[in-house]
Amino acid sequence: MNQDKVRLKRVLFEQFCYILNAGCTYTGRDMKAAHKDMGVQQGDMNRVVENLQAAMKIEGVKFTIQNRFLAKLAPMKRDVVSR
């Protein structure tokens, strides 16, 4: 996959900040357009969630707060997972 990692990091930060109502503007594409023709599967989505959980654990984010954040991301599944 050929991605601009700097841009990806920026838009992920913006998106998470926006989702958490932390005063950010998200400048990236919508999830359906961003993941079109990528063939993202449920297992891919599961790995993203696992990586986010591991990162939040390392940062000392409480489990209940992790769950609230992941619940805000969950609706994106229908626009990201294509098969």
Side-chain angles (χ1 to χ4, degrees):
M1 182 184 313
N2 188 14
Q3 293 286 340
D4 177 349
K5 290 182 183 180
V6 172
R7 180 182 177 283
L8 179 61
K9 185 176 179 179
R10 177 181 52 81
V11 295
L12 275 175
F13 174 84
E14 287 175 1
Q15 186 177 54
F16 293 169
C17 182
Y18 175 78
I19 288 168
L20 295 170
N21 269 339
C24 299
T25 301
Y26 175 63
T27 62
R29 296 178 288 166
D30 66 83
M31 292 296 94
K32 192 168 207 135
H35 295 86
K36 185 178 186 246
D37 300 325
M38 290 181 83
V40 177
Q41 298 179 26
Q42 182 60 50
D44 301 317
M45 190 76 163
N46 293 346
R47 281 186 287 286
V48 169
V49 170
E50 291 166 2
N51 287 335
L52 287 171
Q53 287 174 311
M56 289 187 283
K57 184 177 180 179
I58 288 168
E59 293 300 319
V61 177
K62 292 180 184 178
F63 186 73
T64 54
I65 295 171
Q66 290 181 35
N67 283 341
R68 279 187 271 180
F69 174 64
L70 294 171
K72 291 177 182 260
L73 297 179
M76 293 180 192
K77 175 186 166 190
R78 67 180 160 261
D79 292 331
V80 173
V81 176
S82 60
R83 52 184 175 128

